[in-house]
Amino acid sequence: MKESWRWYGPFDRISLGEIAQTGASGIVTALHEVPYGDVWSREAISGRKAEISKAGFEWVVVESLPIHERIKRGEGDLSGLFANYRQSMANLAAEGIHTICYNFMPLLDWTRTDLAAPVARGGSCLRFSAPKMAALEIFMLGRGAARDDYPPQAVAEADAWYQGSSDEDRARLMHAVMAGLPGAYDRYDAEGLKSQLKLYEGIDRTDLRANYRRFLEEVIPAAEELGMRFCVHPDDPPRDILGLPRIVSDADDISWILGAVDSPANGLTLCSGSLGANPKNDVPAIARQFGDRIHFAHLRNVRKEPDGSFEEAAHLEGDTDMVDLVSALLDEERRRRNAGQGNWEIPFRPDHGHELLDDAARQTHPGYPLVGRLRGLAELRGLIAGLLRVAQQAG
């Protein structure tokens, strides 16, 4: 497996020189400064690639080439947006970059309610509190229907939290929810978020799937011609929130996506944290079921609670059996290599880490500290080395 590291380019407070000291060889990044829907010029791609190469890395995965919200809503004449998207793909391919991670989550990317929840023995982690999210939906956004989306106890706790919260508490919650948006994009206050949600009124799961199928039909044939691999990132959290449908949350969803346009170019980013937050998901089993379509992996762990809350655990702790999962990915690599398949190595990155030691002082992108991810990468590196040695000894 190819060790990689997510880097936010000019927005990142961790330098490529510091990343080099982690031992990773691949960089996962994007042109975060380019507005959604605009073309990524070949010149901009080449410049970013040269910067990465000069530091001794390979740009192994684009994360992400974002999809405009109008495409997700199926709104108006989309021909220009699709043409721009395909041109960005062509420009990336011309620079030798062939793997694109993306998501189809409406409006928000990953969503958390706490960016610095305390961790035993020190440090902090990202957390999704079902009661706090219910408080935001029911009381701050006025979505009365959200009462039916959460367990009664979570709704009761949401009421208590809201009644006891200050304006500062509510602003902090909104800031945490907005933090999942990458790069330098607009964040919303409560009124702004409500106005954006109105644009999705009337769009249900069936509609969103239809819009997603159209996207795949527009880009996967171009990906095949360019020799590119697309890999969808699962929903985070893997459940409907804010009244918006989520359609990449479990094995059934993944099966539908990969079958909607059945092509090796239409693949999966195996994110163990996103899938692991859904109690019904057996993440190692999902990895084995869809192994031949996994083009990229995010390895992290979560610890779930009965009311739907969860928080980031250490990489080798939490509810997902990371040993079994990594074993499944190594088995898939071995299958590809034995079949003589090119590009058999699966790039992975240590996903969301705990803030440890002096991480908090750096004020990096939430979930992307230096020390916490370095710990995760070191643990995963050791796990991979151990599993490879066992396989070698077994013949």
Side-chain angles (χ1 to χ4, degrees):
M1 298 178 69
K2 190 173 189 65
E3 295 182 5
S4 306
W5 190 275
R6 189 171 191 181
W7 180 58
Y8 284 93
F11 302 110
D12 208 317
R13 299 194 178 192
I14 301 171
S15 70
L16 288 172
E18 289 172 314
I19 295 170
Q21 296 177 54
T22 71
S25 60
I27 289 293
V28 174
T29 193
L31 301 185
H32 293 294
E33 64 274 21
V34 179
Y36 286 19
D38 287 5
V39 173
W40 288 16
S41 71
R42 184 166 178 183
E43 292 74 19
I45 295 166
S46 176
R48 188 62 48 81
K49 180 184 177 184
E51 183 180 7
I52 291 167
S53 298
K54 184 178 179 180
F57 295 100
E58 177 188 2
W59 185 353
V60 292
V61 177
V62 172
E63 187 178 348
S64 62
L65 182 57
I67 301 169
H68 199 282
E69 293 297 312
R70 283 181 51 212
I71 292 176
K72 297 177 186 178
R73 296 193 297 265
E75 177 184 292
D77 180 5
L78 300 175
S79 57
L81 286 174
F82 283 126
N84 285 357
Y85 202 95
R86 288 190 293 266
Q87 185 61 57
S88 296
M89 292 167 56
N91 292 343
L92 284 163
E95 292 298 324
I97 304 162
H98 292 97
T99 302
I100 295 176
C101 169
Y102 70 100
N103 75 71
F104 212 82
M105 289 180 261
L107 194 57
L108 299 178
D109 286 0
W110 58 265
T111 303
R112 299 293 186 273
T113 60
D114 299 270
L115 302 181
V119 174
R121 303 183 69 184
S124 65
C125 69
L126 301 180
R127 176 174 171 79
F128 179 89
S129 162
K132 281 189 177 181
M133 194 68 197
L136 184 144
E137 295 203 48
I138 297 167
F139 302 109
M140 294 171 62
L141 299 179
R143 286 196 62 248
R147 291 181 177 274
D148 297 329
D149 297 338
Y150 295 89
Q153 182 60 34
V155 174
E157 292 179 19
D159 192 348
W161 181 89
Y162 184 76
Q163 297 305 324
S165 65
S166 64
D167 289 343
E168 183 179 352
D169 292 331
R170 297 169 194 174
R172 188 180 300 111
L173 174 58
M174 181 60 69
H175 171 73
V177 170
M178 289 297 104
L181 291 172
Y185 300 112
D186 292 337
R187 270 62 173 169
Y188 310 111
D189 58 15
E191 290 304 313
L193 183 54
K194 283 193 279 189
S195 70
Q196 292 298 311
L197 289 172
K198 285 181 180 178
L199 299 176
Y200 275 91
E201 286 182 353
I203 297 177
D204 61 15
R205 178 180 176 84
T206 299
D207 298 323
L208 193 61
R209 269 192 167 186
N211 297 339
Y212 189 11
R213 184 191 292 272
R214 180 181 176 188
F215 168 76
L216 292 172
E217 291 172 345
E218 291 277 357
V219 303
I220 296 302
E224 292 174 336
E225 293 177 7
L226 294 167
M228 303 191 84
R229 303 184 298 180
F230 268 62
C231 38
V232 64
H233 187 287
D235 300 326
D236 188 6
R239 52 161 292 166
D240 294 358
I241 56 171
L242 300 171
L244 301 172
R246 296 293 184 99
I247 58 172
V248 195
S249 293
D250 57 29
D252 290 341
D253 289 341
I254 295 167
S255 182
W256 180 88
I257 292 161
L258 301 186
V261 176
D262 191 2
S263 165
N266 178 22
L268 172 67
T269 296
L270 194 288
C271 179
S272 56
S274 297
L275 291 169
N278 186 334
K280 76 176 186 179
N281 284 339
D282 180 335
V283 183
I286 289 174
R288 290 187 170 91
Q289 180 178 354
F290 302 107
D292 63 335
R293 302 284 275 273
I294 294 172
H295 301 322
F296 182 34
H298 291 177
L299 298 181
R300 62 182 172 89
N301 223 321
V302 296
R303 185 174 291 107
K304 299 183 289 293
E305 299 169 22
D307 67 356
S309 301
F310 61 90
E311 66 182 26
E312 310 282 356
H315 285 74
L316 300 187
E317 300 175 9
D319 297 336
T320 295
D321 185 338
M322 193 62 69
V323 176
D324 193 21
L325 173 58
V326 172
S327 180
L329 295 174
L330 291 173
D331 286 345
E332 172 58 23
E333 281 193 333
R334 192 175 301 111
R335 183 199 66 78
R336 297 178 188 185
R337 187 171 61 249
N338 291 342
Q341 181 176 331
N343 297 321
W344 55 266
E345 196 172 23
I346 299 172
F348 80 95
R349 64 174 178 83
D351 206 0
H352 302 170
H354 291 173
E355 282 195 334
L356 304 173
L357 302 174
D358 65 347
D359 274 334
R362 284 178 172 265
Q363 298 184 332
T364 60
H365 287 73
Y368 291 92
L370 176 59
V371 178
R373 281 188 291 165
L374 175 56
R375 173 186 169 180
L377 178 58
E379 291 176 340
L380 293 166
R381 179 183 294 145
L383 172 59
I384 292 167
L387 289 171
L388 289 173
R389 174 62 62 89
V390 169
Q392 182 183 44
Q393 291 175 340

